[in-house]
Amino acid sequence: MEKKTSFKPKTISALKDFACVLPAIVLLVIFTYYPICKLVQITFTDWNLLNDTWNYVGLKNWIWLFNGSGTKHLLNSLRVTFLYSLGELAVTMGGGLILALVFNRLTKTFSIMRAIVFVPKYVAMSSAAVVYLWILNTDSGVLNYLLGLIGIPAVDWLGQRETALISVLMLTTWRTLGYGMMIYLSAMIGISKDYYEAASLDGATGFQQFWKITIPLLSPTTLFLFVTTFISSMKVFQSVDILTQGGPYRSTEVFVYKIYLYAMEDFRMDRASVIAIAFFVLLLIVTVSTFKISNKNVHYDS
C-alpha cells in the first residue's frame, strides 16, 4: 500500500501565514511593482501623449537626461529641491526640538499651546496655499501690511528669485513645525528621569544634561524625523504648484514639479519617466546612506 503524505504542523502553519499575507502581496504587485516595471519600460520608448503609437529608442532618454539638454534643467531642479529640503529639515527638526523643550510641561495650559502649534498639520496643503497667496500678496497681503507698519517697503514675495523659495518654505514649515515638536516631545517623555537625577548629583548643569543625555537618547527619533522629513520635502509639489508654478525663472522648479511639467504640459511621458526613475534612485541612495552613517551615532538606550 502507498503511504499517505501528510503535511507537518509547521508546514501547515507556514501555509496559513502565507495565505494571510497573500492579498497584501497581490496588491503590492499590482499597484506598486508592476507600475514601477512599466515606468522603467517607458524610459526606453518615445511615448508622447499626443501620438497614438510609440517605439523603443534604447538609451536615448537616459542620454538626454545625463548628457544632453535635460542635464541643465535636471541640475537646476536638483539644486532647488535640495535647498528646499535643507530649509525644511532645519526648521522642522531644529524648531521642533526647541518647541519640544519649551512645551515639555504636563499641564493644561501647555497642552493647549501644544495643540495650537500642532493644528496646522491637519490643514490641507491646497487650502493653506490659497490662504498664503493672500497673505503674501504684494499689494494687499497681510505680511506686507505688517512690514509697512514698521517702515519696511513692500516685498514681491512670490515674484522674486530671492524670496520665492523662502515663501514656499514659510508655508511648508508652518505646517510641519508642530509635527516635529510632537515627535520630539513624545520621545522626551519616554526618557527615564533617573539619568537626570544622577547627572544632577554629579553636578551637571542643565545644558550639560541636555547635551550629554537628552541629545544622545533622542538620536533614534532624530534619525526617524530626518528620514521622513527629507523624503517628504523632496516630494514637495502642491505648495509650488499653487504659489509659484515653478517660477520665477525656475527658482522654485523642484524635482516633482519638473516631472509634472514634462508629463502633463509637454506630454513627454518618456522624459517624465526617466526623471522619475532617477529621482527614485536618488532618494534610495540618500536614505540608505543615512542609515549606514548613523549606525554608529544612534543610541537605543532610552
Side-chain angles (χ1 to χ4, degrees), residues 196-242:
Y196 298 103
E197 291 175 1
S200 297
L201 292 174
D202 289 338
T205 64
F207 177 79
Q208 288 174 329
Q209 293 179 30
F210 169 75
W211 189 252
K212 296 293 185 179
I213 299 175
T214 306
I215 292 296
L217 294 181
L218 287 179
S219 54
T221 304
T222 301
L223 176 63
F224 165 79
L225 198 57
F226 175 85
V227 173
T228 54
T229 304
F230 175 76
I231 293 175
S232 64
S233 64
M234 289 290 284
K235 296 188 296 181
V236 60
F237 172 78
Q238 266 190 320
S239 55
V240 172
D241 184 40
I242 296 174

Side-chain angles (χ1 to χ4, degrees), residues 18-30 32-33:
F18 179 74
C20 290
V21 300
L22 184 60
I25 294 174
V26 172
L27 290 175
L28 278 173
V29 171
I30 294 174
T32 302
Y33 299 118

Side-chain angles (χ1 to χ4, degrees), residues 18-90:
F18 179 74
C20 290
V21 300
L22 184 60
I25 294 174
V26 172
L27 290 175
L28 278 173
V29 171
I30 294 174
F31 294 107
T32 302
Y33 299 118
Y34 173 73
I36 290 175
C37 294
K38 198 68 178 176
L39 192 66
V40 173
Q41 179 190 7
I42 295 171
T43 64
F44 300 106
T45 69
D46 61 352
W47 186 14
N48 190 315
L49 292 179
L50 298 179
N51 299 330
D52 296 330
T53 60
W54 51 266
N55 301 299
Y56 284 102
V57 294
L59 297 174
K60 182 179 179 180
N61 291 315
W62 291 97
I63 295 172
W64 165 84
L65 180 63
F66 292 109
N67 195 30
S69 60
T71 306
K72 180 178 67 174
H73 299 318
L74 171 69
L75 292 176
N76 176 70
S77 296
L78 190 62
R79 179 185 63 83
V80 172
T81 306
F82 268 110
L83 285 175
Y84 174 87
S85 296
L86 288 174
E88 184 172 341
L89 283 169

